[in-house]
Amino acid sequence: MSRLDQLAAYVDEAALTATEIAQISETHKLTIAEAYAVQALSVQRRYARGETRVGVKMGLTSRAKMIQVGVSDVVWGRLTDAMREEEGGTVSMARYIHPRVEPEIAFLMKAPLAGRVSPLEAMAAVGAVAPALEIIDSRYKAFKFDVGDVIADNSSSSGFVIGQWAPPTVDLSNLGMVLSIDGRAGEIGSSAAILGHPVRSLVAAARMVAEAGERLEAGDIVLAGGATAAIPMAVGQSVLLEVESLGQVAFNVGD
């Protein structure tokens, strides 16, 4: 096995078994290109086990997060059918290591999209939008990593829950978003925190998947990125996201 194949097996096994691992950067300083190669190889292992790709997630979609991690662009990861959790259902903590939940906007594609596109062109390929919750779960110790680490680890993609789909004509520019835990507001924000407008995240997704030789397909889900800080999950919690004009999405946390 090549070094990148070995690293892909390393992060994939950690995700599969919900086992914490040391940061790759402790022994290997990956370039961005190498990190995405590891991600692609690790996700291929998921496909080989029978999982199917259902879309992509965008990460580091706030300027503050970019500065914190030391990057000048967003990152992305693949979503598979095995990551989807039931809306209103119970999410098992046993599947994760130290999961956190964050409020997002989801796009449902009605047509393929790839390459450099305008916001209008991107939205023309969208069939619906919805409130969404992403469960991020870095496999690295103490939830600490550099940009190469996080990209290699599929940009912390772990789970997601989608609310009811709404028409793409909903104005997403500045929707109030409240993430509550057990009935108490934990994070309050706006969809404008996602790169100023969530559609910019979709534009970035189209560009970045094309750079990897892929495209967004009809039926794909695109998670635009967290609108607020993520909240650590714990057994027994009830998690609810309310998004102005879009509705709500929720799940409970079980053993």
Side-chain angles (χ1 to χ4, degrees):
M1 295 175 70
S2 71
R3 178 172 69 98
L4 296 184
D5 281 314
Q6 291 174 339
L7 293 175
Y10 179 63
V11 294
D12 176 61
E13 184 67 16
L16 180 63
T17 61
T19 303
E20 190 175 67
I21 57 175
Q23 289 79 2
I24 292 174
S25 55
E26 289 185 2
T27 54
H28 300 85
K29 198 68 175 178
L30 296 174
T31 66
I32 298 297
E34 288 173 332
Y36 276 116
V38 171
Q39 179 190 129
L41 289 166
S42 72
V43 175
Q44 283 296 330
R45 296 170 63 91
R46 294 174 182 249
Y47 299 157
R49 290 195 295 270
E51 295 182 33
T52 57
R53 177 185 174 282
V54 296
V56 303
K57 61 77 56 88
M58 305 304 290
L60 303 182
T61 50
S62 75
R63 299 303 177 191
K65 286 185 178 180
M66 287 185 194
I67 294 169
Q68 182 181 18
V69 181
V71 297
S72 58
D73 202 355
V74 296
V75 299
W76 69 286
R78 280 91 167 173
L79 300 175
T80 76
D81 58 338
M83 297 178 189
R84 188 161 186 171
E85 301 279 7
E86 181 183 356
E87 200 284 322
T90 298
V91 171
S92 172
M93 280 288 285
R95 294 187 59 186
Y96 306 100
I97 303 168
H98 33 215
R100 302 180 183 186
V101 60
E102 58 186 25
E104 306 218 4
I105 300 293
F107 296 98
L108 179 64
M109 308 306 297
K110 69 177 181 182
L113 187 69
R116 294 186 176 275
V117 298
S118 70
L120 284 176
E121 290 169 325
M123 286 306 300
V126 173
V129 294
L133 291 163
E134 185 183 6
I135 300 168
I136 57 173
D137 187 25
S138 172
R139 268 56 74 161
Y140 301 116
K141 292 179 180 177
F143 217 101
K144 293 183 178 180
F145 42 76
D146 70 8
V147 65
D149 289 326
V150 70
I151 291 171
D153 187 32
N154 200 22
S155 296
S156 301
S157 304
S158 298
F160 64 95
V161 184
I162 306 293
Q164 185 171 344
W165 293 107
T169 51
V170 173
D171 183 0
L172 302 177
S173 61
N174 187 24
L175 301 180
M177 304 177 72
V178 181
L179 177 60
S180 299
I181 305 296
D182 298 330
R184 294 185 177 182
E187 291 287 341
I188 299 174
S190 165
S191 58
I194 306 170
L195 293 179
H197 192 301
V199 72
R200 291 185 181 132
S201 185
L202 181 59
V203 167
R207 168 177 56 83
M208 297 180 86
V209 297
E211 290 169 354
E214 299 182 27
R215 70 178 186 176
L216 301 176
E217 303 288 354
D220 273 1
I221 292 168
V222 180
L223 297 180
T228 71
I231 296 178
M233 288 166 49
V235 173
Q237 287 177 338
S238 293
V239 180
L240 171 68
L241 170 63
E242 298 169 286
V243 181
E244 180 184 2
S245 301
L246 280 186
Q248 61 186 41
V249 56
F251 66 83
N252 300 311
V253 185
D255 294 332

